[in-house]
Amino acid sequence: MSYEANTDLEEAPVSSAPSSPFGHLIDGLNGLGSIVIALVMVLMCADVFMRNAFNQPIDGVAELVAASIIVIVFLQLPATLRHGRMSRADLFIDPFVAKRPRAGMRLRALFSLGGIFACGVIAYATWPLFQRAWANNEFFGIEGVFTFPTWPMRIVVFVGAALAALQYALLAWQDWRDAGHAQGAGHE
């Protein structure tokens, strides 16, 4: 659950995130996202081969790749947060945390509250889309050529955003708690 990432490629990464059922769940979803990446790569290579060797492209590859990108992002987002690998502007926050640990951790907690809000809005807005896709049997693609249902993509977005919001909540709580125990923060 830490923001700090191990960037030493020679050293084995040490996870600072405690092992828990929640952690295993989001790490499992991260692994599933990696499997989806591998399948997309195989599909794209097969399409290129079929296109060049037999002038017979595989129908629906562009649609599947477009949908897969969304699925991959939301499968891997909570684990990215959990392991401190989310892109962020370290230029300001890291020196601020080093100089004023208590205030810096509280600021990070506030940033995490913004993450809770953003991911919560995504989950909230996606749920009705999932319900509609399920009820109406909505499909994505070109009718008569290649189609697939949209509900699996919608549920992955909902679950991924909800779990990311929960992970942000855990990070906010951790930073707020750690700010209370921070040393050398007398006037903060």
Side-chain angles (χ1 to χ4, degrees), residues 107-185:
L107 182 60
R108 275 197 323 213
L110 288 175
F111 288 157
S112 291
L113 290 178
I116 294 167
F117 176 76
C119 291
V121 166
I122 292 169
Y124 178 79
T126 303
W127 183 251
L129 297 175
F130 163 72
Q131 289 177 316
R132 187 183 71 209
W134 180 268
N136 297 340
N137 203 21
E138 291 179 359
F139 282 83
F140 184 69
I142 301 169
E143 195 171 337
V145 178
F146 180 82
T147 58
F148 59 94
T150 61
W151 69 264
M153 181 176 59
R154 306 269 190 223
I155 197 68
V156 167
V157 171
F158 172 77
V159 169
L163 291 175
L166 183 55
Q167 182 61 51
Y168 268 124
L170 293 171
L171 291 171
W173 174 78
Q174 178 188 21
D175 275 335
W176 197 263
R177 183 198 64 206
D178 291 349
H181 303 311
Q183 298 294 323

Side-chain angles (χ1 to χ4, degrees), residues 19-168:
S19 182
S20 66
F22 177 73
H24 291 299
L25 171 67
I26 64 174
D27 287 344
L29 291 176
N30 185 39
L32 183 59
S34 296
I35 291 169
V36 173
I37 291 170
L39 293 173
V40 166
M41 289 188 325
V42 168
L43 180 63
M44 289 189 316
C45 290
D47 182 50
V48 168
F49 175 75
M50 293 296 292
R51 192 178 295 267
N52 289 325
F54 305 109
N55 199 23
Q56 290 289 323
I58 300 172
D59 291 334
V61 170
E63 292 84 0
L64 282 172
V65 170
S68 296
I69 290 170
I70 296 165
V71 167
I72 291 163
V73 166
F74 282 94
L75 284 173
Q76 295 188 329
L77 180 61
T80 301
L81 291 169
R82 174 179 167 81
H83 296 289
R85 289 181 171 80
M86 187 70 161
S87 295
R88 62 189 181 117
D90 294 338
L91 186 64
F92 168 73
I93 194 71
D94 286 347
F96 188 64
V97 170
K99 284 184 181 178
R100 302 190 63 193
R102 186 172 293 164
M105 286 183 230
R106 287 187 177 152
L107 182 60
R108 275 197 323 213
L110 288 175
F111 288 157
S112 291
L113 290 178
I116 294 167
F117 176 76
C119 291
V121 166
I122 292 169
Y124 178 79
T126 303
W127 183 251
L129 297 175
F130 163 72
Q131 289 177 316
R132 187 183 71 209
W134 180 268
N136 297 340
N137 203 21
E138 291 179 359
F139 282 83
F140 184 69
I142 301 169
E143 195 171 337
V145 178
F146 180 82
T147 58
F148 59 94
T150 61
W151 69 264
M153 181 176 59
R154 306 269 190 223
I155 197 68
V156 167
V157 171
F158 172 77
V159 169
L163 291 175
L166 183 55
Q167 182 61 51
Y168 268 124

